[in-house]
Amino acid sequence: VPAVTMRTFAEEKRTGTYELLLTSPVRTGEIVAGKFLAAGVFVIVMVALAGIYPLILVFFGNPEIGVMFAGYLGLAFVAVCFVAVGLFTSSLTSNQIIAAISSFGALLLLYVISWPAEAGEVQFAGLLRYLSLPEHFAQMVKGIISTQDIVYFLSLIAVALFLTQRSAESARWR
């Protein structure tokens, strides 16, 4: 996903079309929403194409449909969260490679943030576990669709898109 989102804003800045985009008669939030929807739909299509495997499993076996649905729903949430974080990192720089590496770094941080809590007694263990992306995804893979997990994913998407909009808005006034 960082490779998909690395060009969204960084390429606009590098080629000089970012100023043209920001002076167009659309709001900055609409620009961010359009880029988010485009990248999000692309990633969701990639996840949906992997849906052939559960269909094969249903055809030849007797799996639990609910658990598979919850797992794919969790995978879709994770992919869209990755897109939102990738858009944010792309809005910070004009270099695609830096955007991809910083996106990968931010996503890696969301992945390993709970490791200190698992290693021993940490003062903020509950907070670190809540901020960890795999903790919420693991629940959905088990077939448990919790509102806490859905709120986490939607909050992460909203915060990343808000920061992206603020980053693009700040460039408009420079």
Side-chain angles (χ1 to χ4, degrees):
V1 174
V4 170
T5 59
M6 70 182 184
R7 294 186 68 186
T8 51
F9 287 102
E11 184 70 13
E12 298 268 356
K13 289 179 180 180
R14 189 186 67 77
T15 59
T17 58
Y18 194 57
E19 290 81 17
L20 182 65
L21 182 66
L22 291 178
T23 57
S24 63
V26 292
R27 293 187 294 261
T28 310
E30 293 170 346
I31 295 168
V32 171
K35 288 185 178 283
F36 173 70
L37 286 175
V41 166
F42 181 74
V43 170
I44 292 297
V45 166
M46 289 190 322
V47 170
L49 288 175
I52 190 76
Y53 299 113
L55 292 177
I56 293 170
L57 191 59
V58 167
F59 185 71
F60 288 110
N62 189 16
E64 293 186 36
I65 304 294
V67 174
M68 285 193 317
F69 174 75
Y72 268 93
L73 180 66
L75 185 60
F77 272 128
V78 167
V80 174
C81 285
F82 283 10
V83 166
V85 171
L87 282 176
F88 172 61
T89 59
S90 180
S91 72
L92 297 176
T93 183
S94 62
N95 189 331
Q96 298 175 46
I97 304 302
I98 292 174
I101 291 171
S102 60
S103 175
F104 183 74
L107 294 173
L108 185 64
L109 178 67
L110 286 173
Y111 185 80
V112 301
I113 198 166
S114 68
W115 288 3
E118 295 170 4
E121 291 294 320
V122 178
Q123 195 171 25
F124 302 108
L127 176 66
L128 293 177
R129 281 193 192 95
Y130 182 76
L131 292 176
S132 175
L133 196 125
E135 294 284 330
H136 298 281
F137 179 60
Q139 292 298 317
M140 295 187 104
V141 169
K142 292 176 188 173
I144 303 168
I145 300 175
S146 171
T147 55
Q148 180 183 13
D149 300 329
I150 293 172
V151 166
Y152 169 80
F153 288 125
L154 294 177
S155 299
L156 182 61
I157 292 166
V159 166
L161 290 178
F162 174 76
L163 292 174
T164 304
Q165 195 266 341
R166 286 287 143 205
S167 174
E169 189 72 30
S170 72
R172 178 174 268 183
W173 296 109
R174 279 189 244 162

